[in-house]
Amino acid sequence: MASLNVYSILVVLFLTFGAVMAMKENDQIIKENTCETKIGLPCVLEAFTSIFNTRSISNKCCGELVMLGKVCHSALVKRTLENPLFKDLNPATIIAKSI
């Protein structure tokens, strides 16, 4: 019985450590690639509106998103989904819409 408790604790620690590392990994990718400086705030807001509501994105902001690059885009979307404000949203749906 004691070994079951030890394994349970190890699993919880492993999962917690993995989640913390994923957050640090996204932040590190964003920092190393200067992702937050590659797109203007108006286009960030427009992108959020198009992902979280049904709306299209302008050609100008679409161009900024393309210039942002897949690595930055993916890291920013993942970091957004880690935010507690978005905990009730379906990550698969948001990721699909962000593509």
Side-chain angles (χ1 to χ4, degrees):
M1 202 47 115
S3 66
L4 180 61
N5 289 335
V6 171
Y7 286 124
S8 298
I9 290 170
L10 288 175
V11 167
V12 169
L13 288 174
F14 178 75
L15 292 175
T16 303
F17 180 73
V20 168
M21 290 306 294
M23 281 188 236
K24 286 184 179 179
E25 183 178 299
N26 287 327
D27 285 340
Q28 184 175 355
I29 290 169
I30 292 166
K31 185 177 180 178
E32 288 174 356
N33 292 285
T34 60
C35 297
E36 293 174 321
T37 62
K38 293 182 179 180
I39 187 168
L41 183 59
C43 287
V44 169
L45 297 173
E46 190 174 314
F48 264 81
T49 303
S50 70
I51 291 170
F52 294 105
N53 300 321
T54 307
R55 186 175 160 213
S56 61
I57 194 162
S58 69
N59 288 337
K60 177 189 177 294
C61 290
C62 183
E64 284 193 35
L65 281 171
V66 169
M67 295 304 294
L68 179 66
K70 183 176 171 64
V71 171
C72 284
H73 181 264
S74 295
L76 289 167
V77 169
K78 288 176 186 173
R79 187 175 71 180
T80 300
L81 290 171
E82 292 165 356
N83 187 318
L85 292 172
F86 302 107
K87 68 179 184 205
D88 295 331
L89 299 176
N90 181 349
T93 302
I94 298 305
I95 289 170
K97 287 175 111 180
S98 74
I99 293 170

